[in-house]
Amino acid sequence: MDTRDNYPEVTLPALVLGTIVGILLTACFTYAGLLIGFTIGGSAVAAIVGFGVLRGLLGRGTIVENNINQTVASAINIATAGVIFTVPALYLMGEAFNRVAVGAACVAGAILGVLFIVPLRKQMIEIDRLRFPTGTAVAAVLRSPGAGVAKAIVLGIGVVIGIGITAATQGEVLPETVDLGKLLGMPPYVLNVWALSVMSLGAGFISGVPGLVVLAGSVLAYWFVAPLAVHYGWVEPGVLTKLSEPGGDPYVVGQEINDWIRTHINRPLGIGMLVGGALVGVALSLPSLAGAVRGLRRTRLGSGVAREELPFWAVGLGLVLGFLALVLAAWASFDEPSFQRVLLTALVGTAWMALAGVVVAQATGMTDWSPISGLALLAIVITLLLSDYQVAAAVLLGAAVCVAIGECADMMQDLRTGHLVGAVPFRQQLVELLFVGIGPIVSLLVIQMLWVTIGFGPDKTLTAPQAQAVEATVRAVEAQDIPLAKYAGGAAIGALLSLSGMPGLGVLVGLSMYLPMAYILPYGLGCLLQVASSRVLGERTTEEWGVPLAAGLMVGEPLVVLSVTLYKMVTVAVG
C-alpha cells in the first residue's frame, strides 16, 4: 500500500473551498486582465486561504489536502488569461457570435490542455527536473503550516485596504489618476500618469524582478519611442499641430498624440515582437519536445498501486470528446459552414494546442515566463486564413488554443507542487480535469456583465489592451493592410530578445509596448518595492508576509468594482 494513502487528500472541504476561491479569483482576475492587460496565477492565494479555512476555521487540513484546494482553484482561474486576451475582441469589433459555442470551445480547450500535458509529467518533472518556479514557491507555502492562519489574516487585511482605497476612488474621495508629468512640467507627450490602483501595485509586488521587464517595455514605448516619434515627425501632422493651438490643454493633446503613437507605432511593433518571440520559443523548444516524446514512449500511464497517472484510455477518450466538442463549436460559429473547412480548422487548431502547450510548459518550467499571447495570436491569424476570414470562428478557436496552452502550463506547475509535497499525481490530474471547465464560463459571464454595465475598449477605463491587439491584427489581415515593416522590425527584435536565454522575454516586452501606462507605473513600483523588501527584510520574510498582503490588494479592488457592477445590473433588471 502506498503510504500517501494514509493522509486525507481529495476531500469535500478541499474541493468546495477550491471551487469557491477559484470562482472568486476568476472574477477578480477577469477584471484585472481587462484593466492592465495580463493576470497572475492564484495558486499561492488559494494555498493561504486554505490554511485559514481548513486549519483555522475547520481545525483540519493536511498539506496534501490543501494542495488539492489550490489545484482546483488554479485550474479554474488560470483560464482567465486565455479568455480575456481573445473573446473581448469580438465585442470590440461588433461581431455577432454564438456565446454558447464560444463557451463550449473554451471549456473544450481547457480539457484538451490538461490532457495534452498529463503524459509528459514524468519527463518534465522527474527526468528533466524543470524547476517551475511558481510551483516550487507554492510548495514552500504549503510546507509552512505553522504560519498559515496568520498569513490568511494578513491577506484579509490586504483585501480590506484594497476595498477601502478603491471605494474612495469610486466615490470620488480620491482621484482615480494623478498626472505627475504635468506636476513636474514634463513634455505633454511623455506620459507620466499614475492610476491609484492597489491591484496593479499588488500584482507588481508578487511578480518581483521578472515583472520589471513589463515596466521596461512600457517605459521604452512611452518615454523613448513617443519622444522620438514627435522629434522626427513620425506622428500625423494634424495631431502635432494641436500642441501650438491657443487655449487648449497641452496635456490633453499629449494624450491624443500618445494614443496615435500607441495605435500606429507601438502596437504594430509590439505585435511583431509577440510573434517573433513566440516563433523563437517554438524553435528553441523543439529538442526538448523530442525528448518529451521519447519519454512518453517509456511512460506507462495508470501503473502502480497509487496510479501515478490518469489511465491511457481516459486520456485518449477525453482527447476525442474534447476535439468533437471543438468541432461542434466551430461549426456553430461559421456563417456558412462546410464540413471540410470546419474539420481542417479544428484539426490545425488542436495540433497547435498540443505543440504550443508543450512549448509553454517548457518555458514556464525553465523561467516562469511563457509566450502564451504570441502563440494565441498566431493561432487566430492561422485559423482566420483557414476559415476564409470567418472572424467569429477564428477568435473562438484562438480562445480555445489560448485557454488550452495556459492550462498546460498550470497543470505542470501544480504537478510540480504536488511532487514536492508528496501528492499523488493521478488525484491532482483527475480533480483538475473535473473542475477545469468552470473557469471559462465564469470569465465569460463576467466579461458580459462588464460589457453591458460599464463597457470596455480604447475610450474606457477598462481598455482591454490585449483584445485591442487582436482586433487590430484581425482587421489588418481582413483588409490585407498589414504594416509589414513594423511587424517585421518588431519580430526581429522579439526574436533577438528571446534568444537571450529567457524564452519569454521578447513576448513580454512586446506585450508591454501597448499596455496602459497609468496602470503599468504602479505595477512597476510594486516590483521595485518587492526587490527593496527582499534586500532589507530578506526574501523569506517578503515571501511569507509581503506576498499575502499584496494578494489581498489584488482581490480587494476588483471586488468593489464587480460588486458595484452587479448592483447596477440588478437595479436595471428590477427597475
Side-chain angles (χ1 to χ4, degrees):
M1 180 177 179
D2 195 305
T3 56
R4 292 174 294 184
D5 291 334
N6 297 328
Y7 298 95
E9 189 168 355
V10 182
T11 65
L12 184 60
L15 296 177
V16 171
L17 179 61
T19 302
I20 294 172
V21 173
I23 290 173
L24 176 63
L25 292 178
T26 299
C28 292
F29 290 174
T30 298
Y31 168 83
L34 292 172
L35 184 69
I36 61 177
F38 58 92
T39 65
I40 63 170
S43 295
V45 177
I48 293 168
V49 172
F51 278 126
V53 174
L54 295 175
R55 182 157 297 197
L57 296 181
L58 301 181
R60 52 171 298 150
T62 64
I63 291 175
V64 289
E65 183 180 15
N66 197 11
N67 180 55
I68 288 295
N69 154 60
Q70 73 83 17
T71 297
V72 172
S74 66
I76 293 172
N77 84 81
I78 200 64
T80 306
V83 173
I84 63 102
F85 176 63
T86 52
V87 176
L90 294 172
Y91 290 87
L92 298 180
M93 291 185 286
E95 288 285 334
F97 64 98
N98 187 320
R99 286 166 173 76
V100 174
V102 170
C106 290
V107 171
I111 293 171
L112 289 171
V114 171
L115 292 172
F116 278 137
I117 211 66
V118 160
L120 300 178
R121 181 198 69 84
K122 188 175 290 291
Q123 176 68 34
M124 289 189 182
I125 293 177
E126 297 184 12
I127 299 175
D128 292 342
R129 296 186 180 275
L130 298 181
R131 187 171 183 269
F132 290 95
T134 294
T136 302
V138 173
V141 173
L142 291 172
R143 289 184 296 195
S144 58
V149 176
K151 290 179 184 178
I153 294 173
V154 172
L155 186 143
I157 292 172
V159 172
V160 172
I161 294 172
I163 289 174
I165 294 177
T166 306
T169 58
Q170 292 281 309
E172 300 183 357
V173 176
L174 293 174
E176 292 189 9
T177 59
V178 176
D179 192 341
L180 286 184
K182 189 173 183 178
L183 294 174
L184 297 174
M186 295 174 66
Y189 46 81
V190 180
L191 287 187
N192 192 7
V193 179
W194 293 66
L196 293 185
S197 171
V198 292
M199 181 191 68
S200 300
L201 186 73
F205 192 93
I206 292 173
S207 299
V209 173
L212 291 174
V213 176
V214 176
L215 175 63
S218 287
V219 167
L220 172 68
Y222 291 99
W223 291 359
F224 287 90
V225 174
L228 286 174
V230 172
H231 179 73
Y232 287 105
W234 300 338
V235 183
E236 187 180 79
V239 179
L240 282 177
T241 53
K242 293 182 180 180
L243 278 175
S244 57
E245 292 178 358
D249 185 342
Y251 287 91
V252 174
V253 179
Q255 178 65 63
E256 186 176 343
I257 292 172
N258 254 283
D259 289 342
W260 191 96
I261 293 171
R262 180 176 57 84
T263 302
H264 294 86
I265 299 177
N266 289 336
R267 189 159 63 195
L269 283 174
I271 291 172
M273 292 173 70
L274 283 175
V275 174
L279 288 175
V280 167
V282 171
L284 291 176
S285 296
L286 289 178
S288 297
L289 177 60
V293 172
R294 288 193 298 269
L296 176 58
R297 291 201 297 264
R298 298 192 297 266
T299 302
R300 293 179 57 200
L301 297 181
S303 61
V305 178
R307 297 187 65 184
E308 291 292 317
E309 320 287 350
L310 278 173
F312 185 78
W313 66 265
V315 174
L317 178 62
L319 290 173
V320 170
L321 294 177
F323 175 73
L324 290 176
L326 194 61
V327 170
L328 293 174
W331 182 279
S333 295
F334 272 70
D335 292 335
E336 296 179 359
S338 69
F339 178 75
Q340 294 86 348
R341 192 175 292 278
V342 170
L343 184 62
L344 175 63
T345 306
L347 280 171
V348 172
T350 304
W352 188 250
M353 277 183 203
L355 174 61
V358 175
V359 169
V360 166
Q362 292 278 359
T364 304
M366 291 184 287
T367 65
D368 230 14
W369 297 353
S370 59
I372 291 178
S373 302
L375 292 169
L377 196 60
L378 280 170
I380 291 174
V381 172
I382 293 169
T383 52
L384 186 65
L385 297 173
L386 288 175
S387 64
D388 194 23
Y389 300 99
Q390 300 276 327
V391 175
V395 174
L396 174 146
L397 284 164
V401 169
C402 204
V403 170
I405 58 183
E407 290 293 349
C408 285
D410 178 71
M411 177 82 260
M412 205 57 79
Q413 290 273 25
D414 288 339
L415 290 172
R416 169 63 174 167
T417 301
H419 178 74
L420 292 173
V421 301
V424 178
F426 165 75
R427 295 170 183 167
Q428 279 189 275
Q429 293 163 1
L430 182 60
V431 298
E432 183 129 0
L433 194 59
L434 292 175
F435 289 87
V436 75
I438 297 174
I441 303 302
V442 174
S443 189
L444 289 168
L445 289 174
V446 171
I447 288 173
Q448 177 68 20
M449 180 178 74
L450 292 171
W451 176 256
V452 300
T453 51
I454 61 179
F456 49 80
D459 57 343
K460 304 288 186 179
T461 300
L462 298 178
T463 58
Q466 300 244 38
Q468 287 189 57
V470 171
E471 179 191 12
T473 304
V474 169
R475 293 305 189 205
V477 173
E478 279 186 315
Q480 297 183 1
D481 184 26
I482 301 174
L484 289 176
K486 295 172 185 175
Y487 280 168
I493 297 171
L496 289 173
L497 287 174
S498 290
L499 286 170
S500 65
M502 293 177 284
L505 184 59
V507 173
L508 278 178
V509 175
L511 168 63
S512 59
M513 289 283 286
Y514 54 84
L515 294 178
M517 187 66 164
Y519 292 93
I520 297 304
L521 287 172
Y523 172 86
L525 177 61
C527 297
L528 294 172
L529 288 174
Q530 198 252 38
V531 172
S533 176
S534 296
R535 290 183 178 179
V536 175
L537 302 177
E539 292 186 4
R540 183 172 180 179
T541 300
T542 299
E543 181 72 25
E544 289 188 354
W545 304 109
V547 170
L549 182 65
L553 297 178
M554 276 207 71
V555 173
E557 180 175 330
L559 276 180
V560 174
V561 177
L562 292 173
S563 298
V564 171
T565 302
L566 187 60
Y567 172 77
K568 289 180 181 178
M569 290 187 65
V570 172
T571 302
V572 171
V574 174

